[in-house]
Amino acid sequence: MVIALVYQVGCRRASALCYRLHSTYVRRMRYLLELKEDDDACRKAYNSGTFFLFYNLSPFLQQKDKMFLVPKINTAEIKRILEKFRQSEEKIEDSVLIGCSNECTPYFALDLGSLERAAIESELNGSFTELRKAFFQLEEEDASFISSAQALLRWHNNNQYCGKSGQPTKKNMAGNKRICDSSGIIYYPQVSPVIITLVSDGSQCLLIRHATFPKGMYSALSGFCDIGETIEETVRREVAEEVGLEVESLWYSASQHWPLPDSSLMIACHTLVHPQRNKIRINKQELEAAKWFSCEEVVMALGRKPKPSKEKDDNSFWLPPKQAIAHHLIQEWVKKQVAGPM
């Protein structure tokens, strides 16, 4: 009786916690939706917001040891900076909404590329740094916000004019769309879908190299989705095109927004080919190399630091860092190999 009572109390507490977490998420999403749809509400939210700064798409960061920190700057500080550099407070309306905290403090991104770079860096004690150079030294949450912000700011930079009328477009307050008053067309940010798949023949996995990869790095096979294709069709086509193999089966793993070089939605899958039909016929126009690796070789590579090896041995390859979804795919495959058949 006592055990049953304790169990019921525990379940109620767990349910209450789940509800609070769920309701917090719903509240945040509803709040963000309101800001996206109501320009007046978004304009008002600028006054209580937190800002991530950019300079021509390079985020403002502060370095601490080997990591980069992302300063969150309040509205009063933004207004002070704008006033010091003789800019109107209306510059704040160039911001784009990128999220909010659990307490519904709105997060905005603002590009100050029209101001003097060195003076801003000195004023705020940091530097505008290329995301490519800093991405792997950011905390996961910061990397997510900065990546989303850069992608949205870039989209606005590239969509200043209507493709039909040729007239200027203007963004709404939140920056989740641009409108052409002449044609009436509403433009929404778009993302390029890319499949990334780890090919296996059951006991080995196939890893590839592009000529643009850092020396010694191998990764999973990837490619852009063509218009009209399903994810499954893209996976089968890319595997056939790049390594000359025919896919027997595939299954979805996870997805990730990837900011480099120009923002993509990475859709990760595992792919299985027949072990007796696993001869690689590499497409040299697409790839520099493609090889089968054993589980033992992959485990050793996972233990290496993500930097080019100085060893001449071809087996001393390394893999993408843990922030990349390719790393996630490879780890999943290793765990399945170690666990063995169910």
Side-chain angles (χ1 to χ4, degrees), residues 188-260:
Y188 293 94
Q190 296 180 340
V191 65
S192 300
V194 175
I195 64 92
I196 180 165
T197 186
L198 189 65
V199 181
S200 174
D201 66 357
S203 61
Q204 306 173 100
C205 76
L206 186 149
L207 299 172
I208 61 93
R209 269 190 57 76
H210 287 282
T212 55
F213 279 8
K215 184 180 178 182
M217 191 186 90
Y218 277 76
S219 186
L221 184 152
S222 64
F224 286 94
C225 296
D226 282 347
I227 289 178
E229 279 188 330
T230 64
I231 293 172
E232 294 82 359
E233 289 169 339
T234 304
V235 170
R236 293 178 188 278
R237 175 180 55 78
E238 286 290 340
V239 173
E241 285 180 354
E242 298 198 359
V243 292
L245 296 173
E246 189 169 337
V247 172
E248 285 204 330
S249 62
L250 62 98
W251 56 99
Y252 171 81
S253 172
S255 63
Q256 177 188 38
H257 172 246
W258 190 246
L260 309 173

Side-chain angles (χ1 to χ4, degrees), residues 40 47 60 64 68 115 148 194 282 304:
D40 289 336
N47 294 320
F60 180 76
K64 183 178 181 181
F68 282 98
L115 306 185
S148 299
V194 175
I282 188 171
R304 296 188 184 107

Side-chain angles (χ1 to χ4, degrees), residues 13 18 34 65 68 70 78 96 103 120 201-202 228 253 270 275 316:
R13 287 178 177 173
C18 289
E34 178 189 2
D65 299 325
F68 282 98
V70 182
I78 293 292
V96 295
E103 294 75 30
I120 301 172
D201 66 357
S253 172
H270 288 279
S316 60

Side-chain angles (χ1 to χ4, degrees), residues 7 18 20 44 105 169 176 186 209 233 269 271 276 318:
Y7 175 78
C18 289
R20 286 199 298 273
K44 184 178 179 181
T105 298
T169 58
N176 65 305
I186 300 175
R209 269 190 57 76
E233 289 169 339
C269 301
T271 300
Q276 294 180 354
W318 56 283

Side-chain angles (χ1 to χ4, degrees), residues 78-342:
I78 293 292
K79 290 181 177 179
R80 185 189 69 79
I81 293 168
L82 292 176
E83 182 180 3
K84 180 165 185 174
F85 290 94
R86 299 177 181 177
Q87 296 288 311
S88 168
E89 286 187 8
E90 291 181 359
K91 177 71 175 173
I92 291 177
E93 295 188 1
D94 291 342
S95 302
V96 295
L97 178 69
I98 58 171
C100 69
S101 68
N102 287 334
E103 294 75 30
C104 288
T105 298
Y107 293 155
F108 296 96
L110 177 62
D111 198 301
L112 298 177
S114 61
L115 306 185
E116 185 182 345
R117 176 173 181 160
I120 301 172
E121 290 176 331
S122 176
E123 185 71 22
L124 295 176
N125 192 29
S127 62
F128 292 102
T129 308
E130 286 186 39
L131 185 56
R132 181 185 293 275
K133 295 179 180 179
F135 184 74
F136 297 114
Q137 281 76 50
L138 291 170
E139 295 291 342
E140 184 176 350
E141 184 180 39
D142 286 339
S144 176
F145 280 124
I146 290 297
S147 299
S148 299
Q150 187 197 64
L152 190 52
L153 289 169
R154 180 187 289 112
W155 179 80
H156 281 285
N157 285 351
N158 295 339
N159 290 272
Q160 297 286 316
Y161 295 90
C162 175
K164 184 176 181 179
S165 69
Q167 296 300 308
T169 58
K170 62 180 181 181
K171 80 172 189 72
N172 65 336
M173 282 294 114
N176 65 305
K177 57 188 174 184
R178 297 189 72 88
I179 302 110
C180 174
D181 291 333
S182 178
S183 67
I185 296 175
I186 300 175
Y187 292 91
Y188 293 94
Q190 296 180 340
V191 65
S192 300
V194 175
I195 64 92
I196 180 165
T197 186
L198 189 65
V199 181
S200 174
D201 66 357
S203 61
Q204 306 173 100
C205 76
L206 186 149
L207 299 172
I208 61 93
R209 269 190 57 76
H210 287 282
T212 55
F213 279 8
K215 184 180 178 182
M217 191 186 90
Y218 277 76
S219 186
L221 184 152
S222 64
F224 286 94
C225 296
D226 282 347
I227 289 178
E229 279 188 330
T230 64
I231 293 172
E232 294 82 359
E233 289 169 339
T234 304
V235 170
R236 293 178 188 278
R237 175 180 55 78
E238 286 290 340
V239 173
E241 285 180 354
E242 298 198 359
V243 292
L245 296 173
E246 189 169 337
V247 172
E248 285 204 330
S249 62
L250 62 98
W251 56 99
Y252 171 81
S253 172
S255 63
Q256 177 188 38
H257 172 246
W258 190 246
L260 309 173
D262 294 320
S263 184
S264 300
L265 175 62
M266 306 297 292
I267 304 164
C269 301
H270 288 279
T271 300
L272 190 64
V273 299
H274 197 285
Q276 294 180 354
R277 294 192 289 273
N278 68 352
K279 183 178 179 181
I280 299 170
R281 290 165 290 171
I282 188 171
N283 182 343
K284 286 293 187 178
Q285 292 182 328
E286 295 282 341
L287 304 176
E288 182 180 86
K291 298 179 182 179
W292 288 109
F293 293 93
S294 68
C295 184
E296 291 76 13
E297 290 173 312
V298 173
V299 169
M300 290 181 64
L302 284 170
R304 296 188 184 107
K305 292 183 179 180
K307 61 182 180 179
S309 173
K310 295 180 180 180
E311 301 175 18
K312 293 183 179 180
D313 184 358
D314 289 341
N315 291 325
S316 60
F317 66 100
W318 56 283
L319 299 170
K322 63 181 181 179
Q323 294 92 334
I325 202 165
H327 190 98
H328 167 81
L329 276 174
I330 293 166
Q331 282 195 321
E332 277 190 335
W333 180 80
V334 166
K335 288 178 182 179
K336 186 175 181 180
Q337 292 297 116
V338 171
M342 299 298 289

